[in-house]
Amino acid sequence: TQSTWGHDPCFCFALYACPLKMLITPSFSLDQDEEFVIVTIKTPYVKVSDVDMYLEGCTFKFYVKPYLLHLTFRQMLVENGTEKATYDVDTGLIKCFLPKATRGELFEDLDMISKLMQPKKQQTNTRTTDIRKPIQSLSDERRKLAELIGEPYVEEEEEE
């Protein structure tokens, strides 16, 4: 017999045994002063004791069910004991004060929210050459190649 979507007993069991967990990006705003980047996050009706925050390098992560916020800044942040967070029960706003690694540094692009929400591109250890080097003549390249392989270099005449 054929089973249809939603009528398969195995499918229904899987759905109830492992419910889908939807995380929501909370509404937030960013500001800064000389010492801190200030992230104001709207999280109404949450249990403050369940809030998890992570701060390392350029990365800030905030989680409290059902909200998840992951920001990656271009400049460095530091966990030095001055970081703090406040919660206003009436408005449902959590203000996170993230210390700057360099006091007084201007954090750019705080208004580019979608850019800050992208994870930092991983650095690769591949060798690269500078493509801006001036192009050398073909005879210079041949001379270097001949030296490299240990053969004498004989300059060829160019055909016209």
Side-chain angles (χ1 to χ4, degrees):
T1 63
Q2 276 189 332
S3 62
T4 57
W5 184 265
H7 292 91
D8 184 349
C10 294
F11 173 79
C12 292
F13 174 76
L15 197 65
Y16 290 114
C18 182
L20 297 175
K21 295 180 182 179
M22 296 297 292
L23 295 175
I24 302 167
T25 301
S27 175
F28 69 98
S29 64
L30 298 164
D31 200 3
Q32 65 181 316
D33 61 20
E34 289 288 314
E35 196 174 344
F36 298 101
V37 172
I38 304 158
V39 184
T40 305
I41 308 167
K42 185 158 182 72
T43 55
Y45 315 113
V46 297
K47 195 172 174 184
V48 179
S49 60
D50 292 342
V51 171
D52 283 323
M53 288 185 274
Y54 170 83
L55 176 63
E56 184 178 340
C58 300
T59 303
F60 170 69
K61 294 178 185 176
F62 171 90
Y63 171 76
V64 63
K65 192 175 183 177
Y67 300 105
L68 175 66
L69 179 62
H70 183 176
L71 301 174
T72 305
F73 298 94
R74 287 180 41 200
Q75 296 86 356
M76 297 293 287
L77 300 166
V78 66
E79 192 171 353
N80 61 9
T82 61
E83 62 278 351
K84 61 183 176 182
T86 61
Y87 182 60
D88 184 338
V89 178
D90 296 330
T91 61
L93 294 177
I94 296 178
K95 267 191 176 182
C96 304
F97 294 83
L98 314 176
K100 297 178 179 180
T102 305
R103 186 183 171 102
E105 181 177 14
L106 178 66
F107 274 52
E108 299 172 0
D109 299 335
L110 291 185
D111 57 336
M112 305 290 285
I113 290 176
S114 61
K115 187 175 179 180
L116 293 171
M117 292 178 68
Q118 294 176 353
K120 189 173 187 175
K121 294 178 183 170
Q122 295 182 351
Q123 301 295 324
T124 57
N125 293 331
T126 58
R127 274 182 39 183
T128 58
T129 56
D130 188 358
I131 61 172
R132 295 172 291 171
K133 287 194 295 189
I135 298 173
Q136 297 177 347
S137 70
L138 188 55
S139 61
D140 287 342
E141 292 299 317
R142 288 181 180 155
R143 183 179 299 113
K144 288 179 185 177
L145 181 60
E147 290 172 7
L148 183 65
I149 61 175
E151 292 185 7
Y153 173 70
V154 179
E155 193 166 331
E156 299 175 9
E157 291 183 26
E158 294 182 20
E159 294 181 20
E160 293 183 25

